[in-house]
Amino acid sequence: MEWIDRFLQKREDQLLLRTLHNIEKRKGGNIVVDGKELIDLSCNDYLGLAAHPCLLQESKRMAEGYGTSSSASRLMSGDLHIHHLLEEVVADFKGKEASLVFGSGFLANIGIISAICQKGDVVFSDRLNHASIIDGILLSGAQFFRFRHNEVGHLEDLLKKERAKFKKALIVIETIYSMDGDRPPLKEIVNLKERYNCILMVDEAHATGIFGRNGAGIVEEEDLTHEVDIIMGTFGKALGSYGAYVAASKKTIDYLVNRARSFIYSTALPPSVIGANLAAIEIVKKEPFRRKILLEHVEYFRSLLKDKGFNTRGSSQIIPVVMGDNKKTIMVAHMLREHSIFALPIRPPTVPKGEERIRFSVTYHHSKEILYQVAEVLKDASNGI
Ligand code: PMP
């Protein structure tokens, strides 16, 4: 097993070793680690729903009614009527004919992409797409081209050169990018997908619950529900729970039931999680003030950081502050932690070398006073290096 020692030592030498945190408590946007309370600017509970009484109550009610497990995969005897209820609610929320629920976002992406594409097909993927999208493409056996982040011109060059050589073509993008917090030029990509006869899949993991009139995401906000063929999203971020879904035409969903291996061969989501997911969608529709307040605070924090001369990116609740150097990023994160702020350094291979950053995820729990304090500490920390 020496190869493991060598691997870990190398990661440590490069300051790239990943370690776990062992959080003791979580409450109202704060966490307790090693007995110390920290402001948590690293979590995805953007709307603060993970402790919402309605989610807790529905979660408990479903566990009491159906037990703690679904006890089998959907195609065996794990297929409860509450899974179907959730799928109807998701389809309606997303404005699509049908939907299908998966165990997690990672499972959804690998399952959907490897079911839609095979050898002889081609996938055009934004360079900043999530690891689960990349793994789905690799698993599919399709030819794979990455276009420069959000560069429609580069995507079109690739389509012009390569599209005709393959059978099916899939374009995959995210609607809020997880490390940059920015959004794609969706209308232009829709236009290309139509001109080059492609299927368009979007990952709305970080947009659902926050953007759009009903909180359904960027696709809803830009009124492109009919143009986007496959809308994937997760319950584990703004929806405060766990699991994922895909919304699409009824035929596409029937196809995935027959072909998506991470759906077919995996235990169905447990009843407690279904309860929380149903309640979360209800709350997103009923309590729009959550996303409104969140986005107001986000704007406030972003402008504070810009005024202080930081290199920030994006236009969402994910605010990366690019430090551009691994050592500096780690030192700043360390100093933030000393001032009770938990914001993690994001380093290669998650982001390209030279783009090392502190990634702030602002949530509904973070008031303007807290964000002001964070910006001040960040300024002092980066000046002190
Ligand atoms: N897609 C994106 C864009 C993500 O950021 C993530 C999670 N970080 C996933 C998919 C995976 O979702 P899950 O955590 O539910 O597996």
Side-chain angles (χ1 to χ4, degrees):
M1 302 296 265
E2 272 162 44
W3 57 275
I4 293 186
D5 291 334
R6 279 200 303 276
F7 172 87
L8 293 175
Q9 191 57 52
K10 191 168 166 210
R11 280 281 162 108
E12 196 163 350
D13 294 346
Q14 294 171 326
L15 302 177
L16 292 176
L17 189 68
R18 299 177 201 259
T19 53
L20 296 169
H21 305 292
N22 203 350
I23 292 161
E24 291 141 37
K25 247 191 221 164
R26 173 188 295 288
K27 195 161 184 273
N30 286 3
I31 49 175
V32 177
V33 185
D34 295 333
K36 188 172 171 189
E37 188 154 343
L38 308 169
I39 301 166
D40 181 12
L41 284 155
S42 284
C43 91
N44 301 323
D45 182 22
Y46 301 127
L47 297 176
L49 296 192
H52 195 291
C54 293
L55 272 77
L56 290 167
Q57 185 191 314
E58 279 308 287
S59 186
K60 185 163 177 270
R61 195 171 72 84
M62 294 289 187
E64 281 168 356
Y66 296 90
T68 51
S69 173
S70 289
S71 307
S73 68
R74 294 283 297 279
L75 292 169
M76 306 288 276
S77 63
D79 186 29
L80 302 173
H81 87 101
I82 51 175
H83 289 112
H84 291 264
L85 177 62
L86 178 61
E87 284 165 354
E88 277 167 33
V89 168
V90 169
D92 179 62
F93 183 47
K94 290 280 167 176
K96 285 290 194 191
E97 240 174 37
S99 89
L100 189 68
V101 171
F102 283 76
S104 73
F106 207 104
L107 289 172
N109 277 338
I110 62 171
I112 299 161
I113 298 171
S114 63
I116 300 287
C117 293
Q118 289 85 41
K119 202 161 179 279
D121 297 331
V122 60
V123 185
F124 299 93
S125 167
D126 188 285
R127 206 173 71 80
L128 293 193
N129 274 340
H130 189 256
S132 55
I133 296 176
I134 297 166
D135 286 3
I137 299 169
L138 294 175
L139 197 59
S140 76
Q143 179 69 254
F144 171 24
F145 295 100
R146 298 207 295 176
F147 57 93
R148 289 192 290 276
H149 179 52
N150 279 346
E151 281 192 26
V152 185
H154 189 214
L155 172 59
E156 179 156 23
D157 287 347
L158 289 170
L159 285 165
K160 244 186 227 154
K161 200 160 145 234
E162 306 292 346
R163 168 64 188 101
K165 300 177 193 162
F166 299 91
K167 287 183 262 174
K168 277 173 272 145
L170 176 70
I171 300 173
V172 200
I173 54 171
E174 294 179 24
T175 52
I176 293 292
Y177 283 90
S178 58
M179 292 300 140
D180 280 46
D182 57 352
R183 49 165 91 186
L186 192 54
K187 282 198 176 75
E188 293 168 61
I189 293 178
V190 161
N191 182 287
L192 285 180
K193 90 122 203 171
E194 280 163 2
R195 282 181 32 224
Y196 288 89
N197 184 27
C198 302
I199 301 161
L200 177 58
M201 169 173 169
V202 303
D203 177 331
E204 293 239 72
H206 295 277
T208 303
I210 297 159
F211 296 96
R213 199 161 40 86
N214 296 305
I218 298 285
V219 175
E220 181 196 33
E221 185 172 294
E222 300 207 10
D223 200 15
L224 291 167
T225 302
H226 296 295
E227 289 77 2
V228 176
D229 304 288
I230 299 172
I231 305 174
M232 173 272 177
T234 63
F235 292 105
K237 304 191 194 301
L239 298 182
S241 179
Y242 190 69
Y245 57 82
V246 56
S249 69
K250 171 86 172 62
K251 269 198 182 134
T252 306
I253 298 301
D254 289 345
Y255 175 80
L256 291 174
V257 168
N258 284 275
R259 264 220 101 150
R261 290 166 66 84
S262 59
F263 171 82
I264 299 170
Y265 299 106
S266 189
T267 303
L269 275 183
S272 57
V273 169
I274 303 279
N277 294 350
L278 281 165
I281 295 177
E282 184 79 23
I283 299 294
V284 165
K285 290 183 193 160
K286 271 202 334 222
E287 298 185 358
F289 66 85
R290 288 179 180 269
R291 54 182 177 274
K292 195 166 161 278
I293 290 174
L294 169 66
L295 291 175
E296 259 174 46
H297 290 185
V298 160
E299 265 329 294
Y300 171 77
F301 189 47
R302 193 184 295 283
S303 59
L304 267 185
L305 294 173
K306 277 197 181 134
D307 288 350
K308 290 186 187 300
F310 287 110
N311 174 9
T312 68
R313 293 193 182 165
S315 53
S316 69
Q317 74 285 2
I318 298 168
I319 306 182
V321 177
V322 178
M323 300 280 156
D325 171 87
N326 201 21
K327 218 171 178 170
K328 181 173 179 189
T329 310
I330 291 169
M331 282 169 78
V332 170
H334 186 73
M335 285 163 89
L336 289 175
R337 177 116 177 218
E338 295 208 321
H339 286 84
S340 303
I341 298 163
F342 191 75
L344 292 178
I346 310 287
R347 300 165 290 155
T350 309
V351 292
K353 205 164 175 327
E355 295 199 11
E356 291 84 354
R357 64 196 64 184
I358 306 284
R359 176 184 180 272
F360 293 101
S361 323
V362 179
T363 76
Y364 176 74
H365 291 300
H366 301 118
S367 64
K368 285 188 179 170
E369 291 71 30
I370 290 174
L371 296 171
Y372 180 83
Q373 187 193 327
V374 173
E376 290 288 305
V377 173
L378 183 67
K379 185 74 193 168
D380 291 346
S382 45
N383 280 346
I385 291 170

